[in-house]
Amino acid sequence: MQTHWQQHKTQLRSYISKRVDDPAAVDDILQEVYIKAHTKLHQLKAQGSLTGWLYRIAYNVIMDHFRAHKPLDELPDDLAAVEADHGQNAHREMALCLRPLIEQLPESYRLPLQLAELEGLSQQRVADRLGLSLSGAKSRIQRGRAKLRERLTACCDVEIGAGGVIGFERKPGTERQCP
């Protein structure tokens, strides 16, 4: 293998350097080609195909190099901040709108929903505080959510993306029935 390698080493270096600009990377890739060829020599079917086989290994190692060292463009610092801020503004605006909508719900749904969603109590604690069974509290919270969703969709256009609410806008002409 050593004698064949010495015969092809110069041509392989030239082949690699035409595709890779960094001289240190060219040497690393050439060394990797040698290691792969040496360890996989048993897979070579015919001695006459050695040259093509070495170039195929070189090509694959070059592709691996480019995959591993893919250049990444950095995003501008202000771009990420604008997107995050946009979502936060939508959440704040929506929160201001949700409280009055929740307050318009019948008391049997409003109280469990406020305790669970706004105060963060577990459903078991909501049941204990309101003197309900756990299934009764769960049912009222679910019904309260459904009624709130109905009111919200009647009053507002909500845009939802991968991160949750990303946009929020009051529907035109709903000022009187929606707080």
Side-chain angles (χ1 to χ4, degrees), residues 112 123-124 126-128 132-142:
Q123 292 181 347
Q124 181 61 59
V126 171
D128 294 343
L132 301 169
S133 67
L134 178 59
S135 63
K138 286 181 178 183
S139 176
R140 288 189 186 186
I141 292 168
Q142 286 299 98

Side-chain angles (χ1 to χ4, degrees), residues 55-121:
Y55 278 93
R56 174 51 59 189
I57 292 172
Y59 173 81
N60 289 337
V61 173
I62 290 169
M63 292 300 108
D64 290 343
H65 167 77
F66 284 127
R67 282 187 207 105
H69 297 92
K70 188 185 291 187
L72 300 174
D73 294 332
E74 288 191 31
L75 292 174
D77 292 335
D78 59 338
L79 181 63
V82 169
E83 287 297 319
D85 188 45
H86 178 68
Q88 287 177 343
N89 284 340
H91 284 167
R92 264 189 244 112
E93 289 176 27
M94 186 170 216
L96 291 173
C97 182
L98 285 179
R99 251 186 220 283
L101 288 176
I102 291 173
E103 289 171 5
Q104 288 182 347
L105 294 174
E107 186 175 337
S108 61
Y109 301 124
R110 181 183 72 242
L111 288 177
L113 191 62
Q114 284 176 327
L115 293 172
E117 300 298 342
L118 300 179
E119 295 182 25
L121 296 181

